[in-house]
Amino acid sequence: MDLIDRIGYFLTLFSEHLLISFLAMFIVSVFGVAIGIWVFYSAKAQRIIMPTVNFLYTIPSIAMFGLLIPIVGIGLQNALIVLVLYGLLPIVHSTYSGMKEVPYNLVDAAKGLGSTPLQLFRHIYFPLALPSILSGLRITTVMVIALTGLAALIGAGGLGQAIFRGLNTMNTSLIVTGSLGISLFAILGDKFVGTLEKKNNLQRIISRNALPSQKHFIYINLAVLAVLLVMSLAYINPFASAKERVITIASKPMSEQYILGEIMSQLIENETDIHVIRQFGIGGGTTNIHPALLSGDLDMYVEYTGTAWMNVLNQKSQLDFGQLQQQYQENYQLKWLGLLGMNNTYAIAIPESIAAQKQIKTYSDLVRHSGDFDFGAEFEFFERADAYPSLIKVYPFKFAKLHEMDISLRYKAIEEGKVNAIDAFTTDAQIEALNLQVLVDDKHFFPDYEAGIVIREAILQQYPALTKLLMQLEGEISTDKMRKMNYQLEVLKETPKAIAQEFLATLRNKHEQ
């Protein structure tokens, strides 16, 4: 029933994935073949281009997405650059290899008949290299469709968004649906290129020796692709936002961020005529969202005071909220619209049964028993200056083993017994669901992480009514309330949309009384 309710959501992701993949493949095909031809005819180009293409292919795709954010921002442009760069290698190689393997006796015979270099290319080299080019195109098609799934991490959309949302909210149906969707896309893409490759169909059409049945077979496939592209373009209508009053709301890849993003989105849509673009689940969190706000790619999101002080302003200690607001306004032209009321600070959690057995209540207690624990946390926790590197200076933990993992997997790891201590957030629903005990930070290491709305000043100047509207949320979402909403999402499997609707209805009733 959950998937049926989300049919519109999946149609959007399907359309985005198709358009991104097709656009990337079109660019790759044109430039990849052109570069392959250039490399074949130019020894100097070969010495430069081939090692460069090979080197780019060695860079992890996720890293490439992140490296491009300061240069081109997030979204479609970033995704296309990465997909094209990764797609070039097979196409360039297959084009170059196909032309190089053309039998020289055919070339020599054509030259003897007086063929010009252009005629040699049109009638000898390219037609005979075409099977090799199409073979490379099949490999590239599958690879690009799969990599398009990762583009969701930088807000480009596509079916990968369902996978990452499912991982971050522990929703298996989303993971399975997104994965199957990408697999189906890859299979269909491979089959489509296969129709061009089969029995040299495309080669025969180019050489004008194709049978009518071969022509019709290819034309039907091209017509189906064209219809799907037009329908996808019409469904998501990417040109509509240029004419509308629009605002883009982002979220980090966490359960509560999906909920809070949806609350803000629905509040704006219910009370104004502003169109909201949802860019939820941005990979890297603040690291990627903050620069995107500064560049204007995003307009607002929920941030935490501790993260703002330590990771954005690079301060070793926190000052009062007024000073935080002032520095954001002076340094970045961003405004904090109050605080929501919750403090989602870091914590360390262990199973209640182990805590009772070993009589561990505080971090200091855990230090004495740390050799008995395998500690798991997300990658960011081991890197942040306000997390593990500084934590072990205050509490000299000597865990038996450290496990770095995606933020969405640490509760799964403790549930399956792969670790028996994890980092947690005080609003996490799984604390209650898995009977975990949050230990007391007896030396008060972790700072406050109070949630608040950060928005570009330019947006408030454009839509001044937003200030009063969004300030309705100030102090309305306590830590306990947020934990319960996270529980609804992760354990009861309710959607962020439904949870946000329920919260806003309660808030509306409260204001009307």
Side-chain angles (χ1 to χ4, degrees), residues 417-438:
K418 295 179 180 179
V419 298
N420 54 359
I422 60 170
D423 77 307
F425 298 112
T426 51
T427 61
D428 286 348
Q430 296 299 319
I431 291 173
E432 181 177 347
L434 298 179
N435 296 317
L436 301 180
Q437 179 164 323
V438 175

Side-chain angles (χ1 to χ4, degrees), residues 55-124:
F55 169 74
L56 290 173
Y57 202 69
T58 64
I59 302 174
S61 54
I62 293 179
M64 184 75 80
F65 284 121
L67 290 171
L68 287 176
I69 287 175
I71 303 172
V72 299
I74 65 171
L76 179 62
Q77 187 176 1
N78 185 317
L80 284 178
I81 292 174
V82 174
L83 294 173
V84 169
L85 289 176
Y86 274 86
L88 284 176
L89 179 66
I91 294 293
V92 172
H93 271 283
S94 62
T95 303
Y96 170 73
S97 299
M99 295 184 67
K100 188 177 180 181
E101 292 169 2
V102 171
Y104 185 74
N105 60 336
L106 294 179
V107 177
D108 196 41
K111 286 181 178 178
L113 293 173
S115 297
T116 65
L118 180 59
Q119 288 173 327
L120 282 174
F121 172 74
R122 290 180 58 189
H123 300 297
I124 303 295

Side-chain angles (χ1 to χ4, degrees), residues 166-205:
L167 286 170
N168 293 319
T169 60
M170 302 182 184
N171 191 321
T172 304
S173 62
L174 285 177
I175 299 172
V176 171
T177 305
S179 300
L180 289 177
I182 293 176
S183 297
L184 179 61
F185 254 129
I187 292 170
L188 293 176
D190 178 73
K191 291 293 184 184
F192 175 76
V193 179
T195 62
L196 304 180
E197 187 182 21
K198 186 178 181 181
K199 297 180 181 179
N200 297 324
N201 281 341
L202 189 58
Q203 189 178 22
R204 289 178 180 273
I205 288 176

Side-chain angles (χ1 to χ4, degrees), residues 273-286:
D273 62 349
I274 299 172
H275 173 66
V276 176
I277 297 176
R278 293 162 170 81
Q279 293 282 21
F280 295 169
I282 300 293
T286 301

Side-chain angles (χ1 to χ4, degrees), residues 332-367:
Y332 310 117
Q333 289 72 57
L334 300 176
K335 188 167 183 179
W336 281 74
L337 291 179
L339 297 173
L340 300 178
M342 52 182 278
N343 181 19
N344 189 12
T345 190
Y346 273 119
I348 294 179
I350 65 175
E352 288 181 351
S353 57
I354 298 178
Q357 178 187 348
K358 296 181 179 294
Q359 296 185 335
I360 299 174
K361 296 181 179 179
T362 67
Y363 288 14
S364 295
D365 293 337
L366 183 61
V367 169

Side-chain angles (χ1 to χ4, degrees), residues 28-42:
V28 165
S29 300
V30 172
F31 284 93
V33 172
I35 293 172
I37 294 170
W38 180 32
V39 166
F40 173 74
Y41 282 107
S42 172

